[in-house]
């Protein structure tokens, strides 16, 4: 066994067509991807590029027709591994309203643990701990519908944190949130990764979120076209543009200035770096 928590070995997955005579083109094609424990990987790609399918392959919601997926060494095509895989990899989805089931915040966070048949005292402990981790402990007795989008999403995250999964796959968790909610969720995700060591796979179409990951994987039409640190990936402005993606705003600005003959590096990602370069120039 290796130290990869997730490993996709040349994985191809096609959805079944409603019309039996037709076969759908694969949503994920021959993808090889490994994620190590503790990694924070962002996955970028325009609509329909296969990101959500990749997410589903990571915790056996989808099983490949070709190739294999391993979660902590467990083959996802073996049904006997299903429970252990779901205990290892949790998922957070786009719409918080679809993920919250109970009428009180703390009951919602307890839901998954109750399903596992855990003792009430232990559930209490885990729920309180998880709510503190996401900064929602003070609001534990509130009704979810009275919360903001960002707060609801943090409750959904607490539900997964309470399960103590080693890895969490976030599928565009901020797509429906306002800027403040997006920031709250992003800060929570970073905290889970940096402070608790939870492996994070973070699907997004926001460049400013992707730059905060340690590694960025870019998908197009079911394949991985770029994989590297944010700096390595966002240097490829042309390639990203060709598949309908942007680079972060400051990277773009630096590229435009370079075109005008100003000596700018092509891998600037944030304000601090930008300011430092300008200071050197004047
Ligand atoms: P993304 O999350 O990047 O938008 P998806 O993984 O959802 O991409 O979709 C990849 C491809 O698979 C798309 O062409 C999409 O239309 C198709 N697809 C997704 N879900 C289904 C489904 N349940 N049935 C049939 N085709 C699907
Ligand atoms: Mg999707």
């Amino acid at each position: 066994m290796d130290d990869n928590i997730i490993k996709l070995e040349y994985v191809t997955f096609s959805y079944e067509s409603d019309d039996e005579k037709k076969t759908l083109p694969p949503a994920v094609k021959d993808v090889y991807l490994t994620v190590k424990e503790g990694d924070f990987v962002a996955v970028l790609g325009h609509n329909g590029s296969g990101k959500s399918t990749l997410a589903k392959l990571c915790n056996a919601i989808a099983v490949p027709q070709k190739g294999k997926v391993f979660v902590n060494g467990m083959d996802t095509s073996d049904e006997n591994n299903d429970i252990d895989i779901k205990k290892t990899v949790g998922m957070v989805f786009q719409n918080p309203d679809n993920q919250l089931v109970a009428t009180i915040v703390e009951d919602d966070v307890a839901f998954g643990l109750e399903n596992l048949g855990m003792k009430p005292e232990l559930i209490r402990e885990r729920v309180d701990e998880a709510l503190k981790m996401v900064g929602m402990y003070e609001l534990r007795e509130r009704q979810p519908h009275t919360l903001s989008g960002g707060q609801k999403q943090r409750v959904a995250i607490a539900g997964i944190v309470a399960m103590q999964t080693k890895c969490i796959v976030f599928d565009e968790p901020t797509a429906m949130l306002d800027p403040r909610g997006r920031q709250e969720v992003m800060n929570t995700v970073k905290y889970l990764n940096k402070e608790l060591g939870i492996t994070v796979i973070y699907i997004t179409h926001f460049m400013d979120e992707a730059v905060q990951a340690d590694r960025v994987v870019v998908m197009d039409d079911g394949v991985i076209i770029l994989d590297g640190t944010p700096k390595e990936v966002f240097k490829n402005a042309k390639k990203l543009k060709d598949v309908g993606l942007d680079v972060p705003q400051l990277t773009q600005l630096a590229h435009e200035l370079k075109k005008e003959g100003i000596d700018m590096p092509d891998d600037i990602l944030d304000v601090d770096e930008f300011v430092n370069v300008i200071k050197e120039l004047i």
Side-chain angles (χ1 to χ4, degrees), residues 242-253:
D242 287 345
V243 299
L245 295 171
D246 292 323
V247 294
Q249 272 185 343
L250 284 170
T251 316
Q252 181 68 30
L253 181 56

Side-chain angles (χ1 to χ4, degrees), residues 45-53 55-56 94 171-172 203:
H46 65 74
N47 275 342
S49 58
K51 305 182 300 297
S52 293
T53 307
K56 291 180 207 162
Q94 198 175 91
D171 191 354
E172 304 204 35
I203 298 171

Side-chain angles (χ1 to χ4, degrees), residues 17-236:
S17 165
D18 295 334
D19 177 353
E20 280 178 28
K21 278 166 247 138
K22 280 193 202 146
T23 45
L24 293 172
V28 164
K29 292 183 258 191
D30 207 28
V31 162
Y32 186 91
L33 179 72
T34 58
V35 176
K36 285 201 168 38
E37 204 167 339
D39 275 358
F40 182 171
V41 183
V43 180
L44 271 176
H46 65 74
N47 275 342
S49 58
K51 305 182 300 297
S52 293
T53 307
L54 184 79
K56 291 180 207 162
L57 287 162
C58 290
N59 81 338
I61 297 176
V63 174
Q65 286 95 3
K66 266 207 278 183
K68 284 208 177 287
V69 180
F70 296 97
V71 172
N72 243 350
M74 296 177 282
D75 183 343
T76 64
S77 68
D78 183 346
E79 280 173 26
N80 296 322
N81 291 331
D82 211 49
I83 291 174
D84 285 332
I85 287 170
K86 302 260 181 339
K87 281 186 188 168
T88 308
V89 182
M91 296 265 274
V92 174
F93 299 96
Q94 198 175 91
N95 189 341
D97 291 326
N98 295 345
Q99 299 173 81
L100 304 182
V101 287
T103 50
I104 301 290
V105 164
E106 59 186 359
D107 294 348
D108 201 279
V109 178
F111 186 76
L113 298 177
E114 280 164 359
N115 279 348
L116 291 178
M118 198 179 266
K119 284 207 185 94
E121 311 86 71
L122 192 55
I123 293 182
R124 175 84 265 158
E125 222 171 86
R126 288 255 201 119
V127 167
D128 287 353
E129 202 179 68
L131 282 167
K132 285 174 189 161
M133 301 291 181
V134 304
M136 286 297 291
Y137 183 71
E138 305 303 320
L139 301 181
R140 64 192 178 283
E141 286 169 4
R142 287 274 288 273
Q143 300 190 347
H145 73 87
T146 66
L147 302 176
S148 71
Q151 290 171 333
K152 284 187 212 173
Q153 199 58 303
R154 285 190 283 147
V155 173
I157 295 171
I160 306 295
V161 170
M163 307 282 282
Q164 298 188 345
T165 61
K166 283 184 175 176
C167 175
I168 306 180
V169 180
F170 295 87
D171 191 354
E172 304 204 35
T174 58
M176 305 182 75
L177 306 182
D178 60 16
R180 181 171 166 180
R182 283 179 53 202
Q183 196 57 56
E184 287 172 16
V185 167
M186 199 63 204
N187 289 343
T188 304
V189 172
K190 284 200 278 190
Y191 176 81
L192 298 179
N193 176 253
K194 298 290 173 256
E195 304 302 325
L196 305 185
I198 295 175
T199 310
V200 169
I201 300 178
Y202 190 91
I203 298 171
T204 182
H205 62 260
F206 294 112
M207 306 301 141
D208 58 330
E209 293 183 348
V211 299
Q212 298 179 56
D214 299 322
R215 176 177 164 203
V216 179
V217 167
V218 181
M219 292 193 72
D220 181 49
D221 199 18
V223 301
I224 292 175
I225 59 159
L226 289 167
D227 182 352
T229 63
K231 276 192 181 297
E232 287 162 353
V233 165
F234 290 118
K235 266 188 205 175
N236 301 278

